[in-house]
Amino acid sequence: LTFLESHEDGENSVDGLDNATSVTVSPDGKNVYATGNSTGNGGEDESLAVFTRNTETGALTFLESHEDGENSVDGLDGPFGVALDHDGENVYVSSFSDSALAVFSRNSSTGALTFTQVIKQTDSGVDGLGGAYAVTVSPDNKNVYVGAQSGNDLTVFDRNTDTGVLTFREVHSNGDNETYSLYHV
């Protein structure tokens, strides 16, 4: 590896990287998404930062950030994990403090995001998001999985492959039904 550049929260208009916790690259290589989680650290960001990426050099340019509680965005208090579906149409962010999963639709031309959904532990019929930490999308794009620390849970969502919207399916908890390998996912 050779050092290329760095981007710091609050410098050159960059926002949303305070105490960065997770980063991922879009499947087309055009964008980078990073969570900023300042919960308990005296910082200001509970955010998802978006960068455009030069596919030849890897250089990044700050595009935008989405902060919890701004412009109707919800579910980003304590963001930890970030994942994209394999077609690059949606971005999913797990939130430890909100015990939530935030969903964004992605403009494939620009990489810009639009907030579309939040699912919280407190929603009727939803379980297993307490301390949501890690998130990933299945290879067939039909499911999203969230690892949560508070209940040592693995939560399964069905994913609408046309819209990216999620529906709670089931939760597997440490010690339930012979499930013993989820301690501190």
Side-chain angles (χ1 to χ4, degrees):
L1 297 177
T2 303
F3 177 78
L4 177 63
E5 63 187 18
S6 68
H7 294 269
E8 188 173 328
D9 190 66
E11 291 189 11
N12 301 316
S13 301
V14 172
D15 191 23
L17 290 181
D18 193 18
N19 195 32
T21 53
S22 186
V23 62
T24 193
V25 178
S26 61
D28 60 12
K30 294 180 181 179
N31 298 98
V32 171
Y33 300 90
T35 55
N37 176 5
S38 59
T39 300
N41 294 314
E44 299 175 4
D45 293 329
E46 301 300 327
S47 307
L48 176 62
V50 181
F51 294 85
T52 57
R53 179 180 173 269
N54 181 311
T55 57
E56 292 186 25
T57 67
L60 302 178
T61 303
F62 179 73
L63 178 64
E64 64 185 12
S65 72
H66 297 269
E67 294 193 25
D68 191 58
E70 292 187 12
N71 301 316
S72 301
V73 173
D74 192 13
L76 291 182
D77 186 10
F80 268 94
V82 59
L84 281 89
D85 68 279
H86 302 282
D87 295 328
E89 296 175 356
N90 298 99
V91 175
Y92 300 93
V93 181
S94 58
S95 171
F96 186 86
S97 299
D98 261 346
S99 295
L101 183 62
V103 181
F104 295 85
S105 61
R106 176 179 176 259
N107 180 313
S108 60
S109 297
T110 66
L113 300 178
T114 302
F115 176 75
T116 58
Q117 180 186 23
V118 64
I119 300 172
K120 293 188 175 186
Q121 172 75 16
T122 56
D123 292 348
S124 179
V126 174
D127 193 16
L129 289 178
Y133 199 81
V135 61
T136 192
V137 180
S138 64
D140 62 6
N141 282 330
K142 293 181 179 180
N143 299 98
V144 173
Y145 302 93
V146 177
Q149 286 189 340
S150 295
N152 302 314
D153 298 320
L154 177 61
T155 306
V156 182
F157 294 92
D158 290 324
R159 179 179 177 271
N160 181 311
T161 56
D162 292 326
T163 65
V165 170
L166 302 177
T167 304
F168 174 78
R169 172 182 269 193
E170 62 192 15
V171 62
H172 298 271
S173 299
N174 190 46
D176 290 347
N177 299 320
E178 311 261 340
T179 304
Y180 293 102
S181 59
L182 296 176
Y183 184 69
H184 292 285
V185 178

